[in-house]
Amino acid sequence: MTASDKAFTGSIPQIYDQLLVPLIFVPYAQDLARRITAHQPRDVLETAAGTGVVTRALHAQLPPEVRITATDLNEPMLAQAKRHLAAESRIAFQQADALALPFADASFDAVACQFGAMFFPDRVKGYAEARRVLRPGGRFVFNVWDRIEENDFPHVVHETLQQVFPESPPQFFTRTPHGYYDSGRIEADLIAAGFTDIAIETVTHRSRAASPQDPATAFCQGTPMRGEIEARGTPGLAAVTQAAADALARRFGGGPIEGRIQALVISAR
């Protein structure tokens, strides 16, 4: 992972929230919230909350007396999340690094993290921090994307970028979002951080978009891939986005489209 992989700045949070969240994140957010709710927690911490899709799912599913603390390293992403839930008194938003959480030991009954572990510079340290703030018997529930070949839309966009920039192809997708999918490695990292009772499950959903333009824009302009594209100059962000849209249309059709998305969902005590 490079420093630019964590650069959710400028208009990225808005595009991410508007296009990418409904495209690929909503079903997994609802899934994580169901798993957390089943453990009947009193206090829940969310790390790498992004624009708050899991926060909203937790708010909808958890009893009203349960307190939720939503954190993210990127203040612009957290600011976007606050727009959805600013009036909810039981939800506290706080900028925080998942590798150095500003909370006392044994403060939470559950820790949730949606598609954030892939961005941790030191995953064992991040997992150890989650364990530190959990009460005895608490649960850490998180998910990571499976290999890019199992995720149709980003795979097509990735392959298109390899063709557009053959001399220096952008590798953000395979390096970070889809770069941490080996279940053996994930389990070993969790064990090294002190977790036991680890369960890893493959969960598949369908991703749907109104047109090929939406996922092209979402992945090219609503993720840190945008920085890699812009850094390469010609043919420019708009042209590259259109090339991705054209490739998606050739693969899935020109109207409403759908494709597979697949992730690993992990629970550790």
Side-chain angles (χ1 to χ4, degrees), residues 115 119 131 152 217 242 258:
F115 301 119
F119 292 87
R131 182 179 182 276
D152 289 340
T217 303
Q242 189 58 53
E258 68 173 74

Side-chain angles (χ1 to χ4, degrees), residues 48-260:
T51 60
V53 62
V54 171
T55 318
R56 298 194 291 275
L58 288 168
H59 175 63
Q61 295 188 35
L62 287 168
E65 66 272 15
V66 179
R67 295 196 58 81
I68 303 166
T69 302
T71 68
D72 197 275
L73 180 65
N74 293 279
E75 183 58 42
M77 296 289 275
L78 211 56
Q80 186 71 21
K82 291 177 185 177
R83 296 182 183 182
H84 297 284
L85 296 164
E88 301 300 334
S89 60
R90 70 157 166 164
I91 302 175
F93 291 96
Q94 184 171 342
Q95 192 277 336
D97 185 346
L99 274 64
L101 292 169
F103 307 110
D105 296 358
S107 295
F108 301 94
D109 302 302
V111 175
C113 182
Q114 167 132 301
F115 301 119
M118 307 91 73
F119 292 87
F120 293 175
D122 184 334
R123 296 183 185 104
V124 173
K125 185 176 181 180
Y127 297 161
E129 274 293 274
R131 182 179 182 276
R132 180 184 66 79
V133 301
L134 279 170
R135 294 175 180 134
R139 282 278 172 181
F140 179 32
V141 185
F142 67 102
N143 49 27
V144 297
W145 290 115
D146 205 343
R147 60 202 295 267
I148 196 167
E149 291 83 0
E150 304 296 341
N151 289 269
D152 289 340
F153 293 167
H155 187 216
V156 170
V157 174
H158 173 75
E159 291 298 304
T160 302
L161 294 177
Q162 310 309 291
Q163 296 166 14
V164 172
F165 301 106
E167 295 183 0
S168 59
Q171 301 297 332
F172 167 71
F173 291 146
T174 53
R175 181 176 61 243
T176 302
H178 297 278
Y180 185 60
Y181 54 82
D182 183 272
S183 59
R185 179 183 175 190
I186 294 168
E187 183 175 15
D189 288 346
L190 286 165
I191 291 171
F195 280 101
T196 59
D197 189 17
I198 299 163
I200 302 177
E201 179 183 351
T202 300
V203 178
T204 304
H205 288 289
R206 301 295 291 176
S207 179
R208 295 175 176 85
S211 72
Q213 196 70 41
D214 283 355
T217 303
F219 288 111
C220 292
Q221 301 185 25
T223 73
M225 177 62 80
R226 178 175 186 151
E228 289 200 42
I229 294 170
E230 292 178 325
R232 284 160 173 77
T234 305
L237 182 62
V240 173
T241 302
Q242 189 58 53
D246 293 343
L248 287 162
R250 288 193 296 271
R251 171 78 181 274
F252 301 103
I257 61 174
E258 68 173 74
R260 180 177 58 185

